[in-house]
Amino acid sequence: MKIRTKLLLSYLIITALVIAAGATITYNSVEMAQLQNNTKQQQDINNNAFAYQKSLDQKQFGTLMYSADQVNEGVRIMVSSAETQAQSRDFLTNALASNPDLLASFNQVVSIDKNQIDPAITQISQIYSSDVNSSVKYSQIWDQMTNIMAATNTADAKLAEVRNATQTNVQNAVTESQNYANMSIIVAVGFIAALIVASVVLSFVISKRITVPL
């Protein structure tokens, strides 16, 4: 085989190695970028689920303050919690659209809030403003507060399902991203090693081809 042919073959081998290594590393980088975006989205879902959960607790506390004659402070807390809920609800409804199971769990939370917690708060407001004597009034208010606490605990448990699922997704994404990073390192090291071997072999073959005739 002529030297020119051997040089061309060696060049093609090295070029193929470069292309294969570059393509693999590029693919891994793209996958890692997608995983990072997914991780961020899962973290945002987790944060908003926590915010919604916290707002339910604040709504409960605000109602308790309201019924304990701290009307202005109670209303302020409930209004603030409602604003947080609205923001988190809109985000989670959109973000969970691609996950029917988690969306169903969250919709159950919204249903509990709308059909159990809010009506109980309305009842407390009506009872508080009524003319019934204090002992009856606070007994009725406490009954409604008990309903609110039970409903809030149920809603918190459903939100915990959403948060646990997103935490699991984040952990899986981090592990998968690390695997891609490790693969890129292995490919880079393997490419360098193959390049060194190819260079040594090429140098040996060419030097032998040149020196033997002499």
Side-chain angles (χ1 to χ4, degrees), residues 189-205:
V189 172
F191 166 71
I192 293 173
L195 188 60
I196 292 173
V197 171
S199 299
V200 171
V201 172
L202 179 61
S203 299
F204 175 77
V205 171

Side-chain angles (χ1 to χ4, degrees), residues 31-211:
E31 290 297 317
M32 288 173 64
Q34 292 178 346
L35 287 169
Q36 288 174 350
N37 290 334
N38 181 58
T39 298
K40 183 180 182 304
Q41 183 183 33
Q42 294 298 314
Q43 289 174 335
D44 289 340
I45 291 173
N46 190 289
N47 292 338
N48 278 273
F50 177 74
Y52 197 100
Q53 184 176 0
K54 185 177 179 181
S55 71
L56 288 176
D57 295 335
Q58 287 179 329
K59 181 186 286 188
Q60 177 179 280
F61 179 69
T63 306
L64 183 61
M65 294 286 289
Y66 178 92
S67 60
D69 298 327
Q70 300 292 325
V71 176
N72 292 335
E73 182 64 13
V75 169
R76 184 193 68 79
I77 293 173
M78 285 189 285
V79 169
S80 176
S81 67
E83 292 174 352
T84 301
Q85 277 185 304
Q87 295 175 355
S88 298
R89 181 175 60 249
D90 291 342
F91 177 88
L92 290 170
T93 300
N94 292 327
L96 295 176
S98 59
N99 192 322
D101 291 337
L102 292 184
L103 181 60
S105 294
F106 178 67
N107 285 338
Q108 289 179 22
V109 173
V110 174
S111 178
I112 291 171
D113 189 22
K114 180 180 179 180
N115 298 322
Q116 297 182 42
I117 297 176
D118 285 347
I121 292 175
T122 301
Q123 285 292 322
I124 287 175
S125 177
Q126 293 174 351
I127 294 169
Y128 184 83
S129 302
S130 67
D131 295 330
V132 299
N133 64 69
S134 298
S135 60
V136 174
K137 177 186 293 186
Y138 288 112
S139 175
Q140 292 176 345
I141 288 176
W142 180 249
D143 288 340
Q144 294 300 323
M145 282 301 305
T146 301
N147 294 335
I148 290 174
M149 287 186 286
T152 300
N153 288 336
T154 302
D156 285 348
K158 290 295 180 182
L159 286 169
E161 293 178 8
V162 176
R163 297 187 64 204
N164 290 338
T166 56
Q167 288 173 348
T168 300
N169 290 338
V170 168
Q171 292 173 352
N172 291 339
V174 170
T175 300
E176 192 172 353
S177 180
Q178 186 60 53
N179 290 338
Y180 279 116
N182 293 339
M183 186 182 300
S184 295
I185 293 173
I186 293 172
V187 169
V189 172
F191 166 71
I192 293 173
L195 188 60
I196 292 173
V197 171
S199 299
V200 171
V201 172
L202 179 61
S203 299
F204 175 77
V205 171
I206 293 176
S207 62
K208 185 177 180 181
R209 180 67 177 177
I210 293 174
T211 55

